[in-house]
Amino acid sequence: MDARKRRILSAVVDLYIRTGEPVGSKTISQLPDIHVSAATVRNDMAVLEELGYLEQPHTSAGRVPTFSGYRMYIEEISTGGSLPAEERARLDAMLGDESELTEELILQSATTALSQITQCATVVSNFAPKYSVISKVDVIPTGKRMYVVLLITSDGKIKNRACRLQFDLTHEHMEFFKHFMEENLEGVSVSDLSEEKMEQMVMAMGTYMMTLTPLVQGICEMSKDLQQSDLYVSGEQNLFSCEELDKGEVAQFILHKRELSNLLDDSFQGIKVVFGQEDGDFVIGNSSMLVSKYQKGDHTAGSLGVIGPMRLNYAKIIPYIEYFTEKISHLITEEEAYEEKALTDHTDLPEES
């Protein structure tokens, strides 16, 4: 499309979002940034309809955006400017004291703040790693018969478990465990860490089996955690107050919100939009979900999204999604670096599990 058709498409979407009524060529031609006649606008709108960006509900009516039209409009908005400095400062204050935020609190605080600002439901998912492998396993003595097992994956995730053993480990035990882990776990895909594999590893330890089994059990527990996607949803009550959404479908969504994980994958770039009437996995008709990915270091760590009616004020909401995505990426990357340093220094150890 040329620039004029893009402006016309954006104008149609803007007006339809505000009024909910089909938009005619005469209305568009009277806008200050459209410098052509109603006949020219009508011709351009006909082309946009042929391209699949607009549709005409009735022969005599104006036009409304299609799913593709919304997506084109959203793509244009997502390349726009950022929030003003004073608004960014207000959002930072809503998140709380950054020095006290863990990754879990960062995600929960961000969804709560975003739902308050947008008056929509918000969702954040922490991806289970699909392709990451175990890059390091270590054991750290922390007290009498107390040890911490440390597990680090190739996508930057760090897990640890405190284990109480029946005996203090000798230097020989420690060296055997580290060497055994290097040979049997490092380079193994996280998705392959099954209980069966762990049992096979325990049996392969021979005379060290009884002494070191609790450490392997700790690794088994951590591997289960790594294979689960965390999902937080906030502001579901906002959907009940939206007249355009079916209350029964909203109730079904709340009951089955865990199924959102299937839509919050890492196979997209920029802002992704999912429409309820278009995707059978999204149970709320006449709705939309905008999703953006956040990073942990160089790796995609999860998705942040807003759920509301299809006639959502995208131009207002998208800058907030983009800011929170960037903020989450920054905070969890810093939090990971602090946690890794603390573990390396053998400080800030976890409670016994």
Side-chain angles (χ1 to χ4, degrees):
M1 287 190 297
D2 57 34
R4 189 180 68 207
K5 290 185 181 66
R6 287 180 180 272
R7 287 200 304 274
I8 290 172
L9 175 60
S10 292
V12 172
V13 178
D14 279 331
L15 284 170
Y16 183 68
I17 286 172
R18 293 211 308 266
T19 67
E21 299 292 333
V23 182
S25 56
K26 183 178 179 180
T27 302
I28 297 296
S29 68
Q30 293 172 343
L31 296 174
D33 59 336
I34 304 294
H35 308 294
V36 293
S37 67
T40 301
V41 172
R42 188 160 50 250
N43 290 336
D44 283 349
M45 290 173 74
V47 173
L48 289 168
E49 185 174 359
E50 290 176 5
L51 293 172
Y53 297 115
L54 297 178
E55 61 184 354
Q56 199 169 19
H58 309 289
T59 306
S60 60
R63 289 174 173 83
V64 300
T66 63
F67 297 131
S68 296
Y70 276 119
R71 284 196 171 90
M72 176 67 73
Y73 174 80
I74 289 166
E75 182 182 315
E76 291 290 301
I77 294 173
S78 62
T79 60
S82 59
L83 295 170
E86 59 271 18
E87 184 65 359
R88 296 198 299 271
R90 184 175 76 92
L91 301 182
D92 292 347
M94 293 177 73
L95 287 176
D97 187 349
E98 294 182 7
S99 64
E100 298 179 358
L101 292 175
T102 62
E103 181 171 340
E104 183 176 2
L105 287 174
I106 291 166
L107 299 178
Q108 292 175 343
S109 298
T111 54
T112 300
L114 192 54
S115 68
Q116 291 173 357
I117 291 165
T118 62
Q119 289 300 293
C120 294
T122 53
V123 57
V124 64
S125 176
N126 189 356
F127 293 150
K130 291 182 180 179
Y131 310 109
S132 67
V133 299
I134 304 300
S135 58
K136 183 176 179 60
V137 180
D138 204 352
V139 59
I140 303 168
T142 61
K144 187 172 179 60
R145 300 179 185 174
M146 286 294 300
Y147 297 84
V148 167
V149 182
L150 172 67
L151 188 151
I152 303 175
T153 66
S154 59
D155 65 335
K157 281 188 167 56
I158 300 173
K159 292 287 183 180
N160 57 83
R161 282 291 186 281
C163 305
R164 183 181 295 277
L165 305 185
Q166 293 182 337
F167 309 98
D168 284 321
L169 297 182
T170 64
H171 177 73
E172 181 184 350
H173 286 130
M174 299 272 286
E175 288 302 308
F176 172 84
F177 180 80
K178 292 178 182 180
H179 181 69
F180 188 84
M181 292 298 114
E182 284 177 7
E183 291 213 337
N184 291 275
L185 270 192
E186 291 184 13
V188 173
S189 172
V190 170
S191 60
D192 291 337
L193 296 180
S194 62
E195 289 189 19
E196 181 182 4
K197 179 173 180 61
M198 293 300 173
E199 290 173 4
Q200 291 172 352
M201 286 176 56
V202 168
M203 296 302 294
M205 286 182 170
T207 57
Y208 294 92
M209 181 174 65
M210 291 299 294
T211 305
L212 300 177
T213 292
L215 301 182
V216 180
Q217 289 174 337
I219 294 172
C220 187
E221 292 170 5
M222 289 186 283
S223 70
K224 289 179 181 177
D225 289 346
L226 286 170
Q227 294 175 50
Q228 294 294 318
S229 292
D230 296 322
L231 184 74
Y232 308 105
V233 181
S234 182
E236 301 102 311
Q237 69 278 3
N238 292 329
L239 300 179
F240 281 110
S241 61
C242 182
E243 295 180 357
E244 296 180 48
L245 301 181
D246 182 275
K247 304 302 182 287
E249 291 178 347
V250 172
Q252 284 296 310
F253 160 74
I254 292 172
L255 287 173
H256 303 286
K257 58 189 176 185
R258 287 293 312 175
E259 295 176 7
L260 274 178
S261 296
N262 299 328
L263 299 174
L264 301 174
D265 58 30
D266 59 354
S267 61
F268 65 94
Q269 298 295 327
I271 296 282
K272 173 185 178 181
V273 60
V274 178
F275 295 110
Q277 289 169 286
E278 187 184 37
D279 196 306
D281 293 330
F282 196 16
V283 297
I284 310 176
N286 199 33
S287 66
S288 65
M289 178 171 66
L290 293 170
V291 187
S292 179
K293 293 187 292 191
Y294 62 87
Q295 305 284 122
K296 180 186 284 188
D298 297 328
H299 305 281
T300 299
S303 289
L304 174 71
V306 168
I307 303 169
M310 193 158 65
R311 290 197 305 113
L312 198 59
N313 190 341
Y314 300 104
K316 177 181 178 181
I317 288 175
I318 284 176
Y320 285 99
I321 295 175
E322 291 177 331
Y323 180 75
F324 274 108
T325 300
E326 293 172 4
K327 190 68 178 181
I328 290 172
S329 300
H330 171 70
L331 290 176
I332 66 173
T333 299
E334 281 198 338
E335 196 265 344
E336 179 193 45
Y338 173 81
E339 183 180 9
E340 188 169 7
K341 183 179 185 301
L343 287 167
T344 301
D345 294 343
H346 299 181
T347 60
D348 193 25
L349 294 173
E351 297 179 359
E352 179 182 358
S353 61

